[in-house]
Amino acid sequence: CRLGSWMPTEGTFQGDFSAPECYYCPAGYYGATSGLTEPGQCGQCTRGHFCEMGTTNPEPCPPGRYSPVFGAPSPEFCLPCAPGTYQPLAAQEFCITCPAGSFSPDVGLAACDPCPRGGYCEEAGAATSMVW
């Protein structure tokens, strides 16, 4: 079988014996090694990643997104960072609060913006800049 799939070693085969049927590792799991004989041998997808059915290696959530759960089955489980937070790296399980002096006004940002001249961003986690 190809990576990302498994094949039972016991039981009856159906169809062409020269190309026995392989089963994909289920969504939320991956198969990075060959010779898997049951779905329980597929590895559970790690935090900060997602694994669609038949995945050979966990796919990372992109910058600006995160996944706090094990076994994420699709990219929809990569959640956007909330306003006031950011994530500059891929494959992360949390977002970072914007430091004081910066802000993040939108969801899914990979960086915080510096507070503009005349602005006020004294507290960490600001989602807007107040301009005087």
Side-chain angles (χ1 to χ4, degrees):
C1 288
R2 293 181 178 195
L3 294 179
S5 60
W6 62 277
M7 180 177 64
T9 56
E10 296 181 6
T12 58
F13 289 112
Q14 298 178 1
D16 183 359
F17 287 103
S18 66
E21 187 173 353
C22 294
Y23 302 96
Y24 289 119
C25 288
Y29 294 83
Y30 67 98
T33 59
S34 60
L36 302 179
T37 58
E38 58 185 53
Q41 292 174 325
C42 298
Q44 187 176 37
C45 204
T46 55
R47 291 178 177 158
H49 297 80
F50 65 93
C51 300
E52 296 179 300
M53 184 171 37
T55 298
T56 59
N57 288 299
E59 294 289 330
C61 293
R65 293 182 168 264
Y66 71 104
S67 181
V69 299
F70 286 104
S74 67
E76 287 78 24
F77 281 75
C78 293
L79 307 173
C81 293
T85 67
Y86 71 106
Q87 182 47 262
L89 304 173
Q92 300 300 304
E93 58 186 82
F94 58 86
C95 293
I96 303 165
T97 301
C98 290
S102 66
F103 71 105
S104 167
D106 296 315
V107 297
L109 295 181
C112 298
D113 294 326
C115 198
R117 254 179 204 244
Y120 180 75
C121 308
E122 185 176 299
E123 307 246 346
T128 63
S129 66
M130 297 187 68
V131 179
W132 305 105

